[in-house]
Amino acid sequence: MSAPFSCFLFDNGSFRADSTRSLRALANRLASHLGYEVRAVSLLHSTRVPAEELGGLPAQLLEPALDTWFGQNPTGRALLVPLFFGPSGALVDYVPERLGALLKKHPHARAKLAEALVLPGEEPVELVGILADRVRAVMTERGWRRPKVVLCDHGTPLRAVTEVRDRLAKALAVALRDATEAVAPASMERREGDEYAFNEPLLETRLGQAPFDSGDVVVALQFLSPGRHAGPGGDVAEICERAEKASPGLRTAMTAPIADDPRLVAVLARRAEAALRQLRE
């Protein structure tokens, strides 16, 4: 590509330093795979993390980072790679809207937004493999045999994102069919209103219902990086703790987020390469 080129890997952002450190490590691994630099940025929040918690290098947000880069490279080509499981509002509305405004400001620049991790019609083989291996790791660590498994995502205002959760849960059930008693999905939280009921059941509800209210239950985190929700002492851990207090026969254990698995790099690389081909056209 003769024009100046840059690639940006972006997540939603977090107030926790662990999330930005995880994103940066993943960007470095993706860069090694692709053979060109990948910049780690977030949509929101991460600039609130003190720089001293990030090795002295402040976090960056996508929009101002792109604006600066286009200002320095007026004919530049930017590849945007989202670290999102499905077509969230950020990818459907927020990023295209902000990107459109930037390209009006920089009319000779071009940008391409790659697709999310899970695509319609494509079997999410790598992601299911990662999730299944995380469950097996917890089983080995705890010495559990045939536990129940709840695949837990964040929750969303968009039905298409919940459909990704449900697809992953069904595939995970197949992958773990000989090792687990039951596999089912849940969301950490949801918005109020009947129009968002597709997120149900919530994790707290699921852990209060048979057969997930007793015995050994692995909560498989459909989260990419540690943070306020999926990190130690985070929201999911608190939900599990409350559920155990409500059901004394219940024992829960969470898997780790999946951003550090090399199979995720392969998925991101496919998304990046497909979008780059279109950017070159």
Side-chain angles (χ1 to χ4, degrees):
M1 184 175 294
S2 58
F5 168 75
S6 191
C7 178
F8 297 81
L9 175 69
F10 69 94
D11 64 2
N12 195 59
S14 172
F15 296 114
R16 300 280 182 95
D18 283 349
S19 181
T20 296
R21 287 194 287 262
S22 172
L23 178 68
R24 288 176 175 178
L26 180 57
N28 288 336
R29 292 194 297 273
L30 181 59
S32 296
H33 185 102
L34 293 171
Y36 49 78
E37 181 185 13
V38 178
R39 303 172 184 230
V41 295
S42 295
L43 293 184
L44 301 165
H45 311 309
S46 298
T47 49
R48 298 279 296 276
V49 178
E52 56 265 28
E53 296 182 20
L54 298 170
L57 184 63
Q60 291 186 301
L61 300 185
L62 176 62
E63 187 174 356
L66 266 178
D67 191 21
T68 298
W69 190 79
F70 283 147
Q72 297 168 346
N73 302 276
T75 61
R77 301 293 185 260
L79 175 61
L80 280 56
V81 182
L83 189 58
F84 289 75
F85 282 100
S88 70
L91 305 188
V92 173
D93 297 316
Y94 181 78
V95 172
E97 178 183 323
R98 302 316 305 153
L99 186 57
L102 280 175
L103 293 176
K104 286 183 179 179
K105 181 179 178 181
H106 304 282
H108 301 294
R110 286 187 61 196
K112 179 63 181 178
L113 175 62
E115 294 189 276
L117 292 169
V118 179
L119 300 182
E122 179 181 280
E123 291 299 321
V125 176
E126 293 99 338
L127 297 178
V128 173
I130 296 169
L131 292 166
D133 286 348
R134 297 289 158 116
V135 171
R136 294 186 187 104
V138 169
M139 291 170 59
T140 299
E141 178 186 341
R142 295 297 182 102
W144 289 354
R145 297 186 63 186
R146 292 189 60 79
K148 281 82 72 173
V149 177
V150 178
L151 179 67
C152 179
D153 72 349
H154 178 277
T156 172
L158 296 180
R159 187 180 296 272
V161 179
T162 299
E163 289 172 354
V164 168
R165 179 202 72 179
D166 293 346
R167 282 181 60 198
L168 289 172
K170 288 179 181 178
L172 185 62
V174 173
L176 294 172
R177 61 185 175 274
D178 296 326
T180 58
E181 180 180 331
V183 178
S187 289
M188 185 192 78
E189 63 185 20
R190 53 161 285 193
R191 292 185 181 182
E192 294 292 333
D194 292 343
E195 64 269 35
Y196 303 114
F198 53 79
N199 287 281
E200 296 289 348
L202 296 183
L203 177 60
E204 194 151 10
T205 303
R206 180 70 83 185
L207 293 176
Q209 298 172 334
F212 300 95
D213 60 344
S214 64
D216 303 329
V217 177
V218 179
V219 177
L221 294 176
Q222 190 192 315
F223 287 79
L224 291 151
S225 298
R228 180 166 59 91
H229 303 310
D235 295 333
V236 175
E238 290 181 356
I239 292 169
C240 292
E241 184 178 349
R242 290 197 301 270
E244 288 183 351
K245 289 180 179 177
S247 301
L250 171 66
R251 294 174 297 276
T252 65
M254 298 188 309
T255 63
I258 72 169
D260 62 347
D261 193 288
R263 286 169 287 186
L264 180 64
V265 173
V267 180
L268 288 168
R270 285 205 305 274
R271 302 293 177 260
E273 289 163 354
L276 184 57
R277 287 193 293 270
Q278 297 179 50
L279 189 61
R280 285 173 168 160
E281 292 175 354

